[in-house]
Amino acid sequence: MLSSHPSATGDIISLELSKLAARRIRERPEIVSFGLDRIEKWGNRRGYSEGWAMSLHEWKDIILTHDAEGIAAILEMDTQEGQRLRSSMPFIQPPFFTEQERLEIIDRAFANQ
């Protein structure tokens, strides 16, 4: 799965973090609400592009129309669409993953370049 191409490192990190978030969502479906809270918080900030606002709206729609398993499956998509969605995923930080877990994923990705 890990790539030797430096430009792919960010995508690898994003995919691994989203897989971890997906696992946590499956373990505790109620934490999806933290993603909605994060979208609301981000949406209240000024200075975002129209594209970012559209991404937030898309994630809000996904959360409101999918169950936890469906959201987890979207987070794990290893496709261009999955990559695009991960670029704005609201499932970051605790309870989806810790800072230590994030740093470990980053270290592994760079170690395997």
Side-chain angles (χ1 to χ4, degrees):
M1 158 144 279
L2 296 175
S3 170
S4 63
H5 195 278
S7 66
T9 303
D11 295 337
I12 292 165
I13 292 167
S14 177
L15 179 59
E16 293 304 311
L17 289 172
S18 67
K19 285 180 178 181
L20 183 53
R23 187 168 72 230
R24 300 284 161 72
I25 288 169
R26 285 187 177 105
E27 292 167 354
R28 296 179 44 219
E30 69 276 6
I31 67 173
V32 168
S33 66
F34 286 90
L36 273 178
D37 293 344
R38 190 154 287 121
I39 289 169
E40 293 301 320
K41 183 189 297 185
W42 287 344
N44 290 332
R45 293 184 182 165
R46 302 222 181 260
Y48 282 129
S49 68
E50 185 176 329
W52 182 253
M54 289 174 55
S55 295
L56 295 180
H57 179 75
E58 183 175 18
W59 268 113
K60 185 174 183 177
D61 185 55
I62 288 169
I63 292 169
L64 294 175
T65 60
H66 291 76
D67 63 8
E69 180 57 38
I71 293 167
I74 289 168
L75 289 171
E76 295 174 328
M77 292 188 314
D78 193 7
T79 63
Q80 285 185 326
E81 177 71 0
Q83 181 181 346
R84 182 186 68 76
L85 288 167
R86 281 189 295 280
S87 71
S88 61
M89 81 167 185
F91 307 110
I92 60 170
Q93 303 168 336
F96 304 103
F97 48 82
T98 66
E99 181 66 7
Q100 181 63 37
E101 290 168 322
R102 186 183 76 82
L103 293 173
E104 289 170 4
I105 288 170
I106 291 169
D107 286 345
R108 278 196 310 271
F110 281 102
N112 290 301
Q113 276 191 9

